[in-house]
Amino acid sequence: MTSVDTTIRLIRTTGRDAAGRPAEACSPALARAPWEFDGVLQYGPGSSMGDVIPAGAPRQGALPEEYRTASAEELHARIRAAKRTLGDRVVILGHFYQRDEIVQHADFLGDSFQLANAAQTVPDAEAIVFCGVHFMAETADILARPEQRVILPNLAAGCSMADMADADSVEECWEQLEALYGTESDAAGRVPVIPVTYMNSSAALKAFCGRHGGIVCTSSNAETVLEWAFERGQRVLFFPDQHLGRNTAKKLGVPLERMPMWDPRRPLGGHAGDALLDARVILWHGFCSVHKRFTVAQIEQARAEHPGVRVIVHPECPMAVVDAADEAGSTDHIRRAVAAASEPTTFAIGTEINMVNRLAAEFPQHEIFCLDPVVCPCSTMYRIHPGYLAWVLEALVRGETPNVIAVPDAVAAEARIALERMLDAKPRA
Ligand code: 13P
Ligand code: SF4
């Protein structure tokens, strides 16, 4: 199997990617170990390296030297041994964007919706080790049983998109929208605005939604969730990902002119009051730096070089890219689409490179490549490395619980309301 690490090594030695194409990486720092970036004020190498990290974002302390100097084989052996000792007391959840060296140790692998579900249903585990990013671990903590502990192996595994909507800016936006639209329901009983937050957001924002009659969505159930919101509200405030919001609302027939974008740095989001009166979906100015890299030109090139290619992208990609693709869907949708292809097919995929490389290795009957020829992983998913996994598991064996993600009870109670609404809004088949 090919992971980002091995891909980077391949590129360095041969100048080719895993599919044999001439390739390069977005940052030479990708060849360095993630712990070289712990404690510093940057995301580390990868797509969101240029985004600003909020001052309050968690920082990972120094990883003990024995885990930094151990070979890959030693780390894997230690992880396996610790897992054996811990048995059912620990469950490891892994997101599809994790590197293969982590995925091989996961008990459950999935998209963010499936992992939220898994966190709620894992049997008797005392600890859930979440190999993903911070907002996913927070969600697991909210949904898990009170006595279960959720552990994020590297606290620096945040999400730059989630950071783009902070609770204060959303509260300010809400006050301005209330002043504009009032608080009275219309004749059909619909409130002026329903807040919808993408799963990729802090627990505080999920709590905000729970408090204000809103809901959480993931990329797999965003359509069902928007329909839920339109039944209850005259309009929706959607944060933080403008692209998922726009792509989903467009699919449901909302015209673009009724989807104004809210810039949190400007009064009234950068609009004259009247311009917002006709809004159906107010889109927050947020985006994913991984999915922003995909372009229509890449799709045109893939079609020119691979006649008959099937292009599938994640709905965090810009609208023009989603429109030019053959289909768009969550990470699980992409996986299922590839798995369901009965004839050998060429797929160009617009999502994170670890997942694309894994699909290519898993389905050798197909030709599968990443739309973006430059290798550029999610810089925060990249921060979870076997060194950290071995460290937290061995700490658990000793009876310690490092890197616990614990959402305060009051926040968790409100966030749970919005998350439970989300879990009821099943993804469309
Ligand atoms: P999924 O909901 O498809 O797992 O995506 C999560 C994510 O962070 C995509 O960037
Ligand atoms: Fe966040 Fe984008 Fe990484 Fe997903 S891929 S965790 S949205 S930065």
Side-chain angles (χ1 to χ4, degrees):
M1 281 202 185
T2 322
S3 68
V4 169
D5 286 353
T6 43
T7 302
I8 298 296
R9 274 198 291 280
L10 194 71
I11 289 167
R12 289 194 140 197
T13 51
T14 66
R16 307 239 148 214
D17 70 7
R21 299 179 301 180
E24 54 175 315
C26 63
S27 163
L30 282 169
R32 289 163 57 189
W35 45 83
E36 293 187 38
F37 304 93
D38 288 341
V40 298
L41 294 168
Q42 66 175 107
Y43 281 108
S47 306
S48 47
M49 187 152 52
D51 296 332
V52 179
I53 302 186
R59 301 262 181 273
Q60 174 64 39
L63 182 68
E65 195 184 347
E66 60 179 297
Y67 299 100
R68 288 187 264 129
T69 50
S71 67
E73 293 71 30
E74 183 188 339
L75 288 174
H76 290 305
R78 288 173 72 164
I79 291 169
R80 278 194 294 271
K83 272 195 83 179
R84 255 195 317 275
T85 307
L86 292 162
D88 292 344
R89 289 167 50 209
V90 158
V91 68
I92 300 179
L93 304 185
H95 188 266
F96 286 132
Y97 293 169
Q98 290 289 297
R99 49 178 92 216
D100 289 335
E101 293 92 329
I102 292 293
V103 165
Q104 63 179 279
H105 299 293
D107 298 303
F108 290 87
L109 184 64
D111 68 6
S112 53
F113 185 87
Q114 294 165 325
L115 294 176
N117 247 319
Q120 218 182 16
T121 52
V122 281
D124 305 315
E126 291 160 24
I128 297 173
V129 175
F130 208 112
C131 295
V133 291
H134 190 263
F135 68 81
M136 298 180 182
E138 278 191 330
T139 300
D141 180 55
I142 294 164
L143 295 175
R145 288 199 310 280
E147 66 279 10
Q148 287 177 310
R149 291 286 157 267
V150 175
I151 291 171
L152 183 64
N154 183 339
L155 294 177
C159 165
S160 58
M161 176 209 278
D163 295 341
M164 289 173 193
D166 64 276
D168 288 347
S169 308
V170 172
E171 290 282 1
E172 269 172 43
C173 166
W174 191 253
E175 277 171 27
Q176 295 178 65
L177 295 183
E178 274 193 345
L180 184 68
Y181 299 127
T183 53
E184 296 300 315
S185 299
D186 65 8
R190 295 173 313 165
V191 297
V193 189
I194 294 275
V196 176
T197 189
Y198 188 22
M199 175 70 110
N200 302 31
S201 59
S202 67
L205 288 185
K206 294 182 175 84
F208 174 91
C209 287
R211 204 160 55 242
H212 292 286
I215 185 167
V216 179
C217 77
T218 69
S219 54
S220 64
N221 72 354
E223 270 178 75
T224 320
V225 165
L226 268 195
E227 283 170 346
W228 180 99
F230 287 143
E231 278 166 25
R232 292 159 176 81
Q234 297 160 47
R235 55 188 75 72
V236 162
L237 171 64
F238 191 98
F239 43 86
D241 186 19
Q242 57 169 296
H243 299 298
L244 178 67
R246 187 177 294 113
N247 289 324
T248 312
K250 184 169 176 238
K251 211 165 163 191
L252 293 179
V254 179
L256 290 179
E257 59 277 14
R258 297 191 70 189
M259 297 184 221
M261 186 143 67
W262 184 274
D263 180 347
R265 289 158 304 189
R266 298 172 63 195
L268 220 49
H271 299 277
D274 287 359
L276 292 173
L277 288 178
D278 200 31
R280 191 81 166 119
V281 181
I282 299 160
L283 300 168
W284 196 263
H285 191 296
F287 55 83
C288 165
S289 293
V290 175
H291 292 93
K292 208 177 75 168
R293 292 181 58 86
F294 298 108
T295 63
V296 174
Q298 289 166 355
I299 296 182
E300 285 166 353
Q301 191 175 345
R303 294 203 194 283
E305 289 173 3
H306 303 269
V309 66
R310 199 167 146 196
V311 181
I312 315 185
V313 301
H314 195 280
E316 288 175 13
C317 291
M319 183 181 75
V321 174
V322 168
D323 288 350
D326 296 306
E327 58 198 278
S330 73
T331 46
D332 185 58
H333 170 97
I334 295 171
R335 224 202 105 69
R336 281 187 290 116
V338 170
S342 50
E343 294 298 315
T345 306
T346 303
F347 287 99
I349 308 234
T351 198
E352 214 268 353
I353 185 77
N354 275 300
M355 173 165 163
V356 181
N357 281 345
R358 189 171 314 115
L359 287 173
E362 209 179 323
F363 297 97
Q365 69 274 34
H366 302 310
E367 186 184 359
I368 299 175
F369 58 90
C370 186
L371 257 186
D372 183 0
V374 176
V375 172
C376 198
C378 167
S379 63
T380 50
M381 291 278 181
Y382 163 89
R383 299 299 286 269
I384 309 285
H385 177 280
Y388 300 91
L389 183 56
W391 168 57
V392 295
L393 290 176
E394 291 187 346
L396 285 168
V397 169
R398 290 192 301 273
E400 300 159 17
T401 42
N403 285 19
V404 172
I405 302 299
V407 177
D409 288 349
V411 176
E414 290 181 334
R416 197 173 297 116
I417 297 169
L419 279 166
E420 280 170 357
R421 288 177 184 142
M422 174 200 88
L423 290 169
D424 286 340
K426 300 286 180 239
R428 289 203 173 143

PDB file of all heavy atoms in Angstrom, residues 236-255:
ATOM      1  N   VAL A 236     -31.501  29.504   5.947  1.00  0.00           N
ATOM      2  CA  VAL A 236     -30.484  28.750   6.692  1.00  0.00           C
ATOM      3  C   VAL A 236     -29.212  29.586   6.788  1.00  0.00           C
ATOM      4  O   VAL A 236     -28.830  30.252   5.818  1.00  0.00           O
ATOM      5  CB  VAL A 236     -30.190  27.421   5.939  1.00  0.00           C
ATOM      6  CG1 VAL A 236     -28.877  26.808   6.384  1.00  0.00           C
ATOM      7  CG2 VAL A 236     -31.334  26.426   6.136  1.00  0.00           C
ATOM      8  N   LEU A 237     -28.593  29.560   7.957  1.00  0.00           N
ATOM      9  CA  LEU A 237     -27.219  30.079   8.083  1.00  0.00           C
ATOM     10  C   LEU A 237     -26.317  28.852   8.105  1.00  0.00           C
ATOM     11  O   LEU A 237     -26.428  28.013   9.010  1.00  0.00           O
ATOM     12  CB  LEU A 237     -27.068  30.887   9.378  1.00  0.00           C
ATOM     13  CG  LEU A 237     -25.623  31.290   9.730  1.00  0.00           C
ATOM     14  CD1 LEU A 237     -25.041  32.226   8.669  1.00  0.00           C
ATOM     15  CD2 LEU A 237     -25.563  31.948  11.108  1.00  0.00           C
ATOM     16  N   PHE A 238     -25.450  28.719   7.093  1.00  0.00           N
ATOM     17  CA  PHE A 238     -24.646  27.498   6.933  1.00  0.00           C
ATOM     18  C   PHE A 238     -23.168  27.827   7.161  1.00  0.00           C
ATOM     19  O   PHE A 238     -22.598  28.662   6.465  1.00  0.00           O
ATOM     20  CB  PHE A 238     -24.840  26.948   5.510  1.00  0.00           C
ATOM     21  CG  PHE A 238     -24.272  25.564   5.313  1.00  0.00           C
ATOM     22  CD1 PHE A 238     -25.097  24.445   5.393  1.00  0.00           C
ATOM     23  CD2 PHE A 238     -22.913  25.374   5.052  1.00  0.00           C
ATOM     24  CE1 PHE A 238     -24.574  23.164   5.224  1.00  0.00           C
ATOM     25  CE2 PHE A 238     -22.387  24.093   4.888  1.00  0.00           C
ATOM     26  CZ  PHE A 238     -23.229  22.987   4.957  1.00  0.00           C
ATOM     27  N   PHE A 239     -22.543  27.145   8.121  1.00  0.00           N
ATOM     28  CA  PHE A 239     -21.121  27.392   8.366  1.00  0.00           C
ATOM     29  C   PHE A 239     -20.411  26.073   8.678  1.00  0.00           C
ATOM     30  O   PHE A 239     -21.064  25.099   9.026  1.00  0.00           O
ATOM     31  CB  PHE A 239     -20.925  28.402   9.519  1.00  0.00           C
ATOM     32  CG  PHE A 239     -21.804  28.188  10.714  1.00  0.00           C
ATOM     33  CD1 PHE A 239     -21.421  27.307  11.725  1.00  0.00           C
ATOM     34  CD2 PHE A 239     -23.007  28.864  10.845  1.00  0.00           C
ATOM     35  CE1 PHE A 239     -22.236  27.112  12.845  1.00  0.00           C
ATOM     36  CE2 PHE A 239     -23.829  28.670  11.966  1.00  0.00           C
ATOM     37  CZ  PHE A 239     -23.440  27.791  12.956  1.00  0.00           C
ATOM     38  N   PRO A 240     -19.072  25.992   8.582  1.00  0.00           N
ATOM     39  CA  PRO A 240     -18.175  27.010   8.043  1.00  0.00           C
ATOM     40  C   PRO A 240     -17.922  26.853   6.534  1.00  0.00           C
ATOM     41  O   PRO A 240     -17.355  27.767   5.933  1.00  0.00           O
ATOM     42  CB  PRO A 240     -16.850  26.779   8.774  1.00  0.00           C
ATOM     43  CG  PRO A 240     -16.951  25.467   9.470  1.00  0.00           C
ATOM     44  CD  PRO A 240     -18.314  24.898   9.218  1.00  0.00           C
ATOM     45  N   ASP A 241     -18.311  25.728   5.909  1.00  0.00           N
ATOM     46  CA  ASP A 241     -17.837  25.487   4.540  1.00  0.00           C
ATOM     47  C   ASP A 241     -18.791  26.045   3.488  1.00  0.00           C
ATOM     48  O   ASP A 241     -19.835  25.453   3.200  1.00  0.00           O
ATOM     49  CB  ASP A 241     -17.642  23.977   4.308  1.00  0.00           C
ATOM     50  CG  ASP A 241     -17.023  23.704   2.946  1.00  0.00           C
ATOM     51  OD1 ASP A 241     -16.436  24.641   2.362  1.00  0.00           O
ATOM     52  OD2 ASP A 241     -17.138  22.568   2.447  1.00  0.00           O
ATOM     53  N   GLN A 242     -18.393  27.152   2.880  1.00  0.00           N
ATOM     54  CA  GLN A 242     -19.236  27.742   1.835  1.00  0.00           C
ATOM     55  C   GLN A 242     -19.477  26.760   0.685  1.00  0.00           C
ATOM     56  O   GLN A 242     -20.567  26.730   0.097  1.00  0.00           O
ATOM     57  CB  GLN A 242     -18.582  29.005   1.268  1.00  0.00           C
ATOM     58  CG  GLN A 242     -17.198  28.768   0.719  1.00  0.00           C
ATOM     59  CD  GLN A 242     -16.676  29.955  -0.071  1.00  0.00           C
ATOM     60  OE1 GLN A 242     -17.218  30.313  -1.105  1.00  0.00           O
ATOM     61  NE2 GLN A 242     -15.612  30.555   0.436  1.00  0.00           N
ATOM     62  N   HIS A 243     -18.466  25.931   0.363  1.00  0.00           N
ATOM     63  CA  HIS A 243     -18.608  25.084  -0.833  1.00  0.00           C
ATOM     64  C   HIS A 243     -19.629  23.959  -0.616  1.00  0.00           C
ATOM     65  O   HIS A 243     -20.475  23.724  -1.474  1.00  0.00           O
ATOM     66  CB  HIS A 243     -17.243  24.513  -1.249  1.00  0.00           C
ATOM     67  CG  HIS A 243     -16.276  25.589  -1.601  1.00  0.00           C
ATOM     68  ND1 HIS A 243     -16.491  26.465  -2.637  1.00  0.00           N
ATOM     69  CD2 HIS A 243     -15.107  25.971  -1.028  1.00  0.00           C
ATOM     70  CE1 HIS A 243     -15.482  27.331  -2.695  1.00  0.00           C
ATOM     71  NE2 HIS A 243     -14.632  27.049  -1.733  1.00  0.00           N
ATOM     72  N   LEU A 244     -19.544  23.294   0.529  1.00  0.00           N
ATOM     73  CA  LEU A 244     -20.537  22.249   0.798  1.00  0.00           C
ATOM     74  C   LEU A 244     -21.937  22.869   0.834  1.00  0.00           C
ATOM     75  O   LEU A 244     -22.896  22.318   0.285  1.00  0.00           O
ATOM     76  CB  LEU A 244     -20.238  21.535   2.129  1.00  0.00           C
ATOM     77  CG  LEU A 244     -21.266  20.466   2.507  1.00  0.00           C
ATOM     78  CD1 LEU A 244     -21.225  19.293   1.527  1.00  0.00           C
ATOM     79  CD2 LEU A 244     -21.041  19.958   3.925  1.00  0.00           C
ATOM     80  N   GLY A 245     -22.044  24.048   1.456  1.00  0.00           N
ATOM     81  CA  GLY A 245     -23.340  24.720   1.531  1.00  0.00           C
ATOM     82  C   GLY A 245     -23.869  25.066   0.148  1.00  0.00           C
ATOM     83  O   GLY A 245     -25.030  24.781  -0.188  1.00  0.00           O
ATOM     84  N   ARG A 246     -23.003  25.646  -0.663  1.00  0.00           N
ATOM     85  CA  ARG A 246     -23.446  26.076  -2.006  1.00  0.00           C
ATOM     86  C   ARG A 246     -23.782  24.869  -2.881  1.00  0.00           C
ATOM     87  O   ARG A 246     -24.823  24.824  -3.548  1.00  0.00           O
ATOM     88  CB  ARG A 246     -22.321  26.904  -2.663  1.00  0.00           C
ATOM     89  CG  ARG A 246     -22.718  27.553  -3.972  1.00  0.00           C
ATOM     90  CD  ARG A 246     -21.598  28.404  -4.538  1.00  0.00           C
ATOM     91  NE  ARG A 246     -21.290  29.556  -3.725  1.00  0.00           N
ATOM     92  CZ  ARG A 246     -20.136  29.745  -3.052  1.00  0.00           C
ATOM     93  NH1 ARG A 246     -19.174  28.829  -3.095  1.00  0.00           N
ATOM     94  NH2 ARG A 246     -19.948  30.819  -2.341  1.00  0.00           N
ATOM     95  N   ASN A 247     -22.898  23.876  -2.881  1.00  0.00           N
ATOM     96  CA  ASN A 247     -23.130  22.702  -3.734  1.00  0.00           C
ATOM     97  C   ASN A 247     -24.420  21.971  -3.351  1.00  0.00           C
ATOM     98  O   ASN A 247     -25.173  21.515  -4.211  1.00  0.00           O
ATOM     99  CB  ASN A 247     -21.938  21.735  -3.641  1.00  0.00           C
ATOM    100  CG  ASN A 247     -20.696  22.287  -4.326  1.00  0.00           C
ATOM    101  OD1 ASN A 247     -20.803  22.952  -5.368  1.00  0.00           O
ATOM    102  ND2 ASN A 247     -19.523  22.046  -3.768  1.00  0.00           N
ATOM    103  N   THR A 248     -24.664  21.887  -2.043  1.00  0.00           N
ATOM    104  CA  THR A 248     -25.857  21.158  -1.599  1.00  0.00           C
ATOM    105  C   THR A 248     -27.117  21.955  -1.895  1.00  0.00           C
ATOM    106  O   THR A 248     -28.104  21.407  -2.408  1.00  0.00           O
ATOM    107  CB  THR A 248     -25.763  20.852  -0.085  1.00  0.00           C
ATOM    108  OG1 THR A 248     -24.483  20.300   0.195  1.00  0.00           O
ATOM    109  CG2 THR A 248     -26.834  19.878   0.352  1.00  0.00           C
ATOM    110  N   ALA A 249     -27.090  23.261  -1.585  1.00  0.00           N
ATOM    111  CA  ALA A 249     -28.286  24.082  -1.813  1.00  0.00           C
ATOM    112  C   ALA A 249     -28.600  24.153  -3.311  1.00  0.00           C
ATOM    113  O   ALA A 249     -29.765  24.091  -3.718  1.00  0.00           O
ATOM    114  CB  ALA A 249     -28.073  25.478  -1.241  1.00  0.00           C
ATOM    115  N   LYS A 250     -27.557  24.223  -4.124  1.00  0.00           N
ATOM    116  CA  LYS A 250     -27.779  24.276  -5.584  1.00  0.00           C
ATOM    117  C   LYS A 250     -28.466  22.986  -6.047  1.00  0.00           C
ATOM    118  O   LYS A 250     -29.403  23.018  -6.850  1.00  0.00           O
ATOM    119  CB  LYS A 250     -26.429  24.447  -6.291  1.00  0.00           C
ATOM    120  CG  LYS A 250     -26.561  24.615  -7.788  1.00  0.00           C
ATOM    121  CD  LYS A 250     -25.255  25.052  -8.400  1.00  0.00           C
ATOM    122  CE  LYS A 250     -25.407  25.113  -9.908  1.00  0.00           C
ATOM    123  NZ  LYS A 250     -24.455  24.239 -10.588  1.00  0.00           N
ATOM    124  N   LYS A 251     -28.016  21.874  -5.511  1.00  0.00           N
ATOM    125  CA  LYS A 251     -28.625  20.591  -5.870  1.00  0.00           C
ATOM    126  C   LYS A 251     -30.106  20.559  -5.496  1.00  0.00           C
ATOM    127  O   LYS A 251     -30.920  19.917  -6.158  1.00  0.00           O
ATOM    128  CB  LYS A 251     -27.881  19.482  -5.115  1.00  0.00           C
ATOM    129  CG  LYS A 251     -27.833  18.172  -5.848  1.00  0.00           C
ATOM    130  CD  LYS A 251     -26.792  17.283  -5.234  1.00  0.00           C
ATOM    131  CE  LYS A 251     -27.020  15.844  -5.670  1.00  0.00           C
ATOM    132  NZ  LYS A 251     -26.211  14.916  -4.919  1.00  0.00           N
ATOM    133  N   LEU A 252     -30.457  21.276  -4.434  1.00  0.00           N
ATOM    134  CA  LEU A 252     -31.859  21.306  -4.009  1.00  0.00           C
ATOM    135  C   LEU A 252     -32.649  22.410  -4.721  1.00  0.00           C
ATOM    136  O   LEU A 252     -33.800  22.683  -4.368  1.00  0.00           O
ATOM    137  CB  LEU A 252     -31.944  21.517  -2.487  1.00  0.00           C
ATOM    138  CG  LEU A 252     -31.406  20.363  -1.623  1.00  0.00           C
ATOM    139  CD1 LEU A 252     -31.526  20.703  -0.147  1.00  0.00           C
ATOM    140  CD2 LEU A 252     -32.142  19.055  -1.914  1.00  0.00           C
ATOM    141  N   GLY A 253     -32.002  23.068  -5.682  1.00  0.00           N
ATOM    142  CA  GLY A 253     -32.729  24.037  -6.514  1.00  0.00           C
ATOM    143  C   GLY A 253     -32.686  25.475  -6.016  1.00  0.00           C
ATOM    144  O   GLY A 253     -33.408  26.326  -6.531  1.00  0.00           O
ATOM    145  N   VAL A 254     -31.851  25.769  -5.029  1.00  0.00           N
ATOM    146  CA  VAL A 254     -31.761  27.158  -4.554  1.00  0.00           C
ATOM    147  C   VAL A 254     -30.908  27.948  -5.560  1.00  0.00           C
ATOM    148  O   VAL A 254     -29.780  27.543  -5.860  1.00  0.00           O
ATOM    149  CB  VAL A 254     -31.117  27.216  -3.140  1.00  0.00           C
ATOM    150  CG1 VAL A 254     -30.991  28.659  -2.662  1.00  0.00           C
ATOM    151  CG2 VAL A 254     -31.904  26.367  -2.150  1.00  0.00           C
ATOM    152  N   PRO A 255     -31.429  29.066  -6.095  1.00  0.00           N
ATOM    153  CA  PRO A 255     -30.621  29.825  -7.065  1.00  0.00           C
ATOM    154  C   PRO A 255     -29.429  30.517  -6.390  1.00  0.00           C
ATOM    155  O   PRO A 255     -29.516  30.909  -5.222  1.00  0.00           O
ATOM    156  CB  PRO A 255     -31.607  30.855  -7.630  1.00  0.00           C
ATOM    157  CG  PRO A 255     -32.819  30.814  -6.790  1.00  0.00           C
ATOM    158  CD  PRO A 255     -32.757  29.626  -5.874  1.00  0.00           C
TER     159      PRO A 255
END
